[in-house]
Amino acid sequence: MTTPFVDVQGITVKFGGLLAVNGLSFQVRRGTIHALIGPNGAGKSTTFNCISRYYQPSAGRIHVDGVDVTRRKPEQMAALGVARTFQNLELFGELSVRENVLLGCHAHSADTVGKLLRRAGRETQELVDHLIERVGLVHERETPARQLPFGHQKLLEIARALALKPRLLLLDEPAAGLRNRDIESLDRLLTELASKEGITVLLVEHVMQLVMSISDRITVMSFGEKIAEGAPREVAADPRVIEAYLGKGAAHAPH
């Protein structure tokens, strides 16, 4: 059996008296798309923040490509080929789309923004233009990030994450705010990243249309614990999953 690219082993996270994640374990296979889903407050983003090293679990271990990263700092993860987007956007609002993606190419540099922009070579410029085209923002490349619709800001974050040339891409609600045609484009992009480029994708997402379409495997959380795991069809038919989502209203149940 091949070694999983991401191996989460029994992590627990507490915030004061609140048990946000309780003994969670799951594995993500290399070059696949794995979704982490569940009702609001299930512990998904907390888990995400543990893997990307923004939160420290009180128990458990996390391995990425065989490396124990449980004690790594967030800024050390990029060197392992890990890139992520955020539920709450982390863009440079006054900079253009091109400039934001360009900065993603230099995540390891301590230079100022101005120096990085002036030093960018032709190869880097071509990569930036390619990534902007891939996420469908060609006509907005010179637009300041803050002027973009929210959904397009999410796409810009993906382009900037891809500028790191990641092996593991962590996406926190990438479809939030996107129109149907943008979701379809995102579907094609993520499928291509995994199937053609071998990038491992782990996403937290509420848009079930996207989750069920692209995921190779799904882990379902509720109240900080894993309640189900498997292929999309298996998960959608699981009574525990249906019950968890029906608690939020039938409209949110996977289908």
Side-chain angles (χ1 to χ4, degrees):
M1 185 173 177
T2 57
T3 303
F5 198 79
V6 180
D7 190 4
V8 176
Q9 305 171 0
I11 64 169
T12 294
V13 183
K14 297 178 181 179
F15 298 113
L18 174 65
L19 187 60
V21 178
N22 185 20
L24 177 68
S25 297
F26 68 95
Q27 298 179 334
V28 181
R29 297 193 302 270
R30 187 185 307 270
T32 64
I33 300 176
H34 193 116
L36 192 61
I37 69 169
N40 289 331
K44 305 180 301 297
S45 289
T46 299
T47 299
F48 222 60
N49 284 328
C50 286
I51 296 172
S52 57
R53 304 304 308 118
Y54 284 86
Y55 290 170
Q56 180 63 44
S58 58
R61 313 298 296 180
I62 301 168
H63 290 79
V64 175
D65 197 19
V67 177
D68 189 338
V69 301
T70 314
R71 298 289 173 182
R72 294 285 179 105
K73 296 179 180 179
E75 57 268 25
Q76 295 175 314
M77 297 302 286
L80 289 174
V82 179
R84 70 161 294 177
T85 65
F86 293 83
Q87 185 176 355
N88 298 313
L89 295 165
E90 299 283 342
L91 298 169
F92 294 93
E94 72 283 2
L95 298 183
S96 71
V97 166
R98 274 188 107 256
E99 291 167 338
N100 268 276
V101 179
L102 187 59
L103 290 179
C105 298
H106 300 281
H108 308 291
S109 177
D111 284 344
T112 64
V113 172
K115 283 185 179 179
L116 291 174
L117 296 177
R118 289 193 297 271
R119 282 176 38 210
R122 177 176 295 180
E123 185 177 337
T124 299
Q125 298 278 7
E126 289 176 352
L127 172 62
V128 168
D129 290 339
H130 171 66
L131 293 174
I132 291 172
E133 183 177 1
R134 289 193 79 175
V135 300
L137 296 178
V138 171
H139 299 298
E140 297 164 298
R141 71 177 70 201
E142 302 302 334
T143 302
R146 65 171 179 267
Q147 294 181 17
L148 296 176
F150 180 75
H152 285 192
Q153 290 185 33
K154 300 286 283 190
L155 294 173
L156 173 55
E157 268 216 320
I158 293 174
R160 193 175 63 177
L162 289 174
L164 278 171
K165 300 180 180 178
R167 296 183 298 146
L168 172 62
L169 182 60
L170 303 171
L171 302 175
D172 199 348
E173 298 192 19
L178 296 187
R179 298 167 294 183
N180 284 338
R181 68 167 179 260
D182 291 327
I183 291 175
E184 291 171 1
S185 297
L186 181 61
D187 182 317
R188 289 192 295 271
L189 172 62
L190 298 184
T191 300
E192 184 177 284
L193 291 175
S195 63
K196 294 185 179 180
E197 300 180 29
I199 296 175
T200 304
V201 179
L202 175 62
L203 71 153
V204 168
E205 186 52 74
H206 286 286
V207 178
M208 289 300 110
Q209 168 194 344
L210 179 67
V211 169
M212 293 297 167
S213 173
I214 69 173
S215 300
D216 295 292
R217 195 165 181 83
I218 299 172
T219 297
V220 188
M221 296 182 66
S222 183
F223 296 107
E225 299 182 351
K226 180 171 71 175
I227 61 170
E229 190 170 68
R233 285 187 180 182
E234 296 169 341
V235 165
D238 192 304
R240 294 166 296 179
V241 177
I242 295 170
E243 181 181 359
Y245 274 89
L246 286 176
K248 297 288 291 180
H252 293 280
H255 58 277

